[in-house]
Structure formats: C-alpha cells, structure tokens
Amino acid sequence: MKVLSVFGRCSQLPAFYKFTIVGVIALILIATLQTGPVDFRQHWDKLRKPKKHGLADGIPLRVMFIGASMTLGEHSTGNRGFRKQVRDWLVSQGNEVNYVGQNRYGNFLDNDVQAFGAQPIKPTLERCKEIVPQTQPNLILINAGSSDCFQQAHWGPAFILQKMRHLVDYLFEASPRATIIMSTIITSPWDNVEDCVTSANAQIRQVATDLIREGKPVVLAEMHHDQGLPNRVEKKHIGKDKMHPIDAGYFLMGDIFIDSIQDVEEKGWLQAPVNNGVPYDGEAERHAEMAKSKEQIEEKPDEQAKTEEDKVEVKPNTRRRRNM
C-alpha cells in the first residue's frame, strides 16, 4: 500500500520532476545491468544536454589539441584526459568531429592529437609546421608551457610570451579558418615550478589579450585557481607524480574548454573547415582504416604464397644458367 501511495504522489508531480525521477532510475538500472565500471557523469550529461542541431549550424569540427603530456591525458583513466570528454560533448551537440594531429594517444577511437610528452613550446611550433598545413583544423585548443616549467634547466619561463605568440601567429597563417582557444597552465604542488607557472601564465594571458585586441578569433581558457574563478584544478587534484591531474582534475579542465567552445560559438567565430580531403568524422575514418588493414592482413598470406611460387620457378632457371 505504501508503494502505491508513493506512485500516486509521483503521478501528481509536474512533468519536469517526473522526467528527473525517471532519469535517476534509468541511471541506477544502467549501473545495475552493466558489468564494467559506470561513468555516471557521462550518462547524466546525456540526460541534461540533449543533442541539438549542432554548433555553428552543425558545421564539421576538425579539432587539434596542442601541448604536451597533460594534453595527451597521461596518468588519467585510459589516458583519455579531457580530450574524450570534449569530443563526446561536441558530438552530443550534433556536429561531426575529427581530431587531427601527428600522434595517437588514449583509449578511445578518434584519438589523434598534436601533443608529445615533455614537449616545450618551441619544439611544439616546429612540429606543427609538419602537420597543420595539411590538416588545417578549424578549432585549435592549446595547453602548452607546463613542460617549459618542469624543465627549467633547459627552458623555464623566459621568452614564453614570444614563443607562444610565434606559435599562434603561425597557426593562423597555416590554417586561416581556425578559431583558437589558448589556456593557462594549472597549478603545481612544487614551489619552484609554481613560480614558473605564475610567470608563464602572465605571459600567456598577455598574448591572448594582444590577439583579442587585434581582432583575432582567440579566447583564453583560464585554468589556474589564482584568478579567483571557481572549479579550477587545485593541489588536491594533482596525482602522485606531482605533475598530472587525477581524473577529477582532467574533468575540470575539460569543462573549462567546453565553456570556451561555447563562448567562441556564441561569438560566431567558428567557420567550416577547408575541403582538403580530410574526413569530417574521425571515428568513421578510423573504422575505414581498420577495415583496410584487415583486408591487407587477409590478402597477405596469398601474396606470400605467390612469392614463394615465384621463388620456386626462378631457382631452376638460375641453376641452369650457372651450369651453362
């Protein structure tokens, strides 16, 4: 009787509350039925952020993340960091998404990225010259400079302003349709590194401010808690290696990037990518690659057998020539 009474009261609730209750029950059922670990955040995001017509009227998003090990997502679950979180959100908005870059890293399908472990800003620019003209992303997100601070004997905070400015200027030159999201560096538990981070962030903010004043499609994703903004990475979010965030820290960084993407979309800066043969859907591209590789593997035994037959045919002739 008590159960019936509860259902009777629920039936009298407004539609919004009914939907919320059903959503929570659905999450519990998913958690019960699934055998593996459940990402409640992902399931809840799907409920509260329904698929829309897409950012910028649904244009394809060719996305390049630039940086070092933090951009790769090292020491996170599946080495996904914030990149998969951002991609899932973009797709949920209704856009086709293709991540581009020279590296592939992280336990998810479309995991291309322009980031390499322990890479400072200057070599980042040199590597971008090898890939950006060919791919021409229309959305670029930069989280670079932490490796400069972790390698102060060789790099440090000196000239980060100039190096970051050179990097962004080149990106606009090589990919004119790009919108760029620059980010500051998260906090460090080491005092000497944090001093470098403070200096580096001041320089990164100055570069972003200068570019915005010049009318460039640039926004700053503020990652450091010292600016008084909520939900930033703090020392409690840094992992045992004293360098990389734990999953909760990466989620915070992902949320900040998502807010910045919404910002540039509202400003009307996102442009369709150039039609240069790069597929619009990164996951479809990867499936095609895997299917092609499978076909090649299946054909390889036949090719090897044919090669062996050719060798058998050639050997007698060779011997006869030698006997002549």
Side-chain angles (χ1 to χ4, degrees):
M1 293 298 292
K2 289 184 178 180
V3 174
L4 293 175
S5 176
V6 170
F7 279 110
R9 292 179 182 177
C10 289
S11 65
Q12 298 175 4
L13 293 173
F16 172 79
Y17 293 103
K18 291 179 182 178
F19 174 79
T20 302
I21 292 171
V22 171
V24 172
I25 294 173
L27 287 175
I28 295 172
L29 289 174
I30 291 170
T32 303
L33 295 174
Q34 283 192 340
T35 57
V38 178
D39 189 345
F40 281 98
R41 182 193 184 97
Q42 180 182 355
H43 292 300
W44 181 250
D45 282 350
K46 289 180 180 179
L47 288 174
R48 69 185 179 90
K49 296 181 180 178
K51 187 173 182 179
K52 302 191 300 184
H53 64 278
L55 303 175
D57 295 323
I59 64 170
L61 296 174
R62 190 177 301 156
V63 183
M64 179 176 283
F65 276 94
I66 296 176
S69 60
M70 212 167 294
T71 301
L72 292 175
E74 288 189 8
H75 297 276
S76 65
T77 300
N79 292 316
R80 296 189 295 259
F82 47 71
R83 288 183 295 121
K84 186 178 187 300
Q85 173 191 356
V86 173
R87 191 186 192 282
D88 288 346
W89 181 83
L90 291 172
V91 171
S92 77
Q93 303 307 294
N95 296 79
E96 291 182 292
V97 179
N98 190 352
Y99 278 9
V100 293
Q102 291 176 303
N103 200 1
R104 288 181 173 177
Y105 196 87
N107 186 20
F108 60 104
L109 199 58
D110 183 23
N111 62 354
D112 299 278
V113 60
Q114 192 58 21
F116 301 86
Q119 180 174 261
I121 298 171
K122 187 174 181 179
T124 296
L125 170 57
E126 298 307 312
R127 273 183 158 158
C128 283
K129 292 178 180 178
E130 301 169 358
I131 189 66
V132 175
Q134 292 85 354
T135 55
Q136 294 199 39
N138 62 339
L139 179 60
I140 299 174
L141 302 96
I142 307 172
N143 182 250
S146 56
S147 291
D148 294 73
C149 288
F150 286 122
Q151 303 175 66
Q152 293 190 53
H154 300 287
W155 302 99
F159 306 110
I160 280 184
L161 186 148
Q162 292 87 341
K163 289 183 283 190
M164 185 63 74
R165 179 66 197 235
H166 292 161
L167 172 61
V168 177
D169 283 344
Y170 172 76
L171 294 173
F172 278 129
E173 176 187 344
S175 189
R177 297 189 186 185
T179 295
I180 296 179
I181 296 174
M182 300 173 59
S183 69
T184 50
I185 309 169
I186 64 169
T187 189
S188 171
W190 286 322
D191 292 339
N192 64 322
V193 176
E194 184 70 354
D195 289 341
C196 176
V197 167
T198 300
S199 175
N201 282 344
Q203 296 176 68
I204 292 170
R205 294 185 192 107
Q206 186 60 56
V207 173
T209 299
D210 292 342
L211 289 164
I212 292 168
R213 286 174 179 169
E214 294 168 18
K216 299 293 177 63
V218 170
V219 298
L220 180 69
E222 182 57 66
M223 296 286 175
H224 205 286
H225 62 77
D226 65 358
Q227 298 302 294
L229 297 173
N231 301 322
R232 264 56 187 175
V233 174
E234 300 178 24
K235 291 181 180 180
K236 65 181 180 181
H237 299 118
I238 305 298
K240 295 179 180 179
D241 69 343
K242 305 296 183 182
M243 296 173 64
H244 300 88
I246 57 176
D247 285 348
Y250 276 117
F251 269 128
L252 291 174
M253 296 178 74
D255 284 342
I256 295 167
F257 274 129
I258 288 171
D259 288 342
S260 296
I261 294 170
Q262 291 176 307
D263 187 10
V264 299
E265 197 267 344
E266 291 173 1
K267 294 178 185 298
W269 289 347
L270 293 173
Q271 301 182 61
V274 62
N275 187 5
N276 58 356
V278 177
Y280 291 152
D281 187 329
E283 290 191 345
E285 178 187 20
R286 192 59 57 82
H287 281 302
E289 287 180 9
M290 292 189 294
K292 185 177 180 180
S293 298
K294 185 178 179 181
E295 290 177 2
Q296 291 175 343
I297 292 172
E298 291 173 350
E299 293 173 358
K300 193 172 181 180
D302 296 335
E303 293 176 1
Q304 288 178 337
K306 185 178 179 181
T307 303
E308 293 299 325
E309 289 175 2
D310 292 341
K311 288 179 180 178
V312 170
E313 292 176 0
V314 169
K315 283 180 180 179
N317 294 334
T318 304
R319 286 171 184 162
R320 281 196 291 270
R321 289 192 188 101
R322 287 176 179 174
N323 292 332
M324 288 174 62

